[in-house]
């Protein structure tokens, strides 16, 4: 997808196939597709840190962020700020990767 023409990067079907093969393809998708929950969910299930390429509203989607941190706890770093106060979400992230505690809200660190 990296070398695809711009119109192809906006083709949802093509981008979905690319993401299913390699979640990193999300990085090269047209911006409007980065708001597509299904595409982003497929990507973060492969690599939680791909949450960084999601549109801002999806970074606040608790269910999607949970999928990301279950794959890689450090994905909590890319979640919308209110989610770093969610005890269950932070716990899931820390169980997967203890470094996730760095981005947890202060009250959860003690």
């Amino acid at each position: 997808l990296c070398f695809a023409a711009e119109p192809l990067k906006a083709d949802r079907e093509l981008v979905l196939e690319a993401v299913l093969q390699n979640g990193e393809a999300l990085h090269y998708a047209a911006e409007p597709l980065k708001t597509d929950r299904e595409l982003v969910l497929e990507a973060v299930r492969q690599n939680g840190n791909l949450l960084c390429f999601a549109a801002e509203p999806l970074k606040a989607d608790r269910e999607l962020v949970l999928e990301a941190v279950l794959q890689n706890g450090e994905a909590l770093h890319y979640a919308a700020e209110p989610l770093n106060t969610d005890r269950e979400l932070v716990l899931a992230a820390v169980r997967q990767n203890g470094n996730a505690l760095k981005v947890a809200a202060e009250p959860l660190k003690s």
Side-chain angles (χ1 to χ4, degrees):
L1 199 57
C2 174
F3 301 108
E6 291 305 314
L8 295 177
K9 293 178 181 183
D11 181 315
R12 186 186 186 282
E13 187 177 342
L14 180 91
V15 172
L16 178 59
E17 283 302 315
V19 166
L20 288 171
Q21 289 182 29
N22 183 343
E24 303 241 353
L26 181 64
H27 174 72
Y28 303 103
E31 289 303 313
L33 291 180
K34 293 178 182 180
T35 66
D36 187 309
R37 191 174 190 282
E38 181 186 4
L39 284 175
V40 174
L41 188 57
E42 289 298 335
V44 300
R45 283 181 174 156
Q46 293 177 41
N47 179 344
N49 281 330
L50 294 175
L51 184 62
C52 71
F53 298 119
E56 291 304 314
L58 293 180
K59 293 178 181 181
D61 180 321
R62 186 182 186 281
E63 184 182 323
L64 191 138
V65 171
L66 179 60
E67 287 289 331
V69 301
L70 288 172
Q71 197 288 321
N72 185 333
E74 289 187 329
L76 186 62
H77 176 74
Y78 302 108
E81 194 169 310
L83 293 180
N84 72 359
T85 64
D86 183 316
R87 188 177 194 287
E88 182 184 345
L89 196 63
V90 171
L91 186 58
V94 170
R95 281 185 178 142
Q96 200 289 320
N97 185 324
N99 289 329
L101 193 57
K102 292 177 188 175
V103 294
E106 286 301 319
L108 295 178
K109 291 181 181 182
S110 50

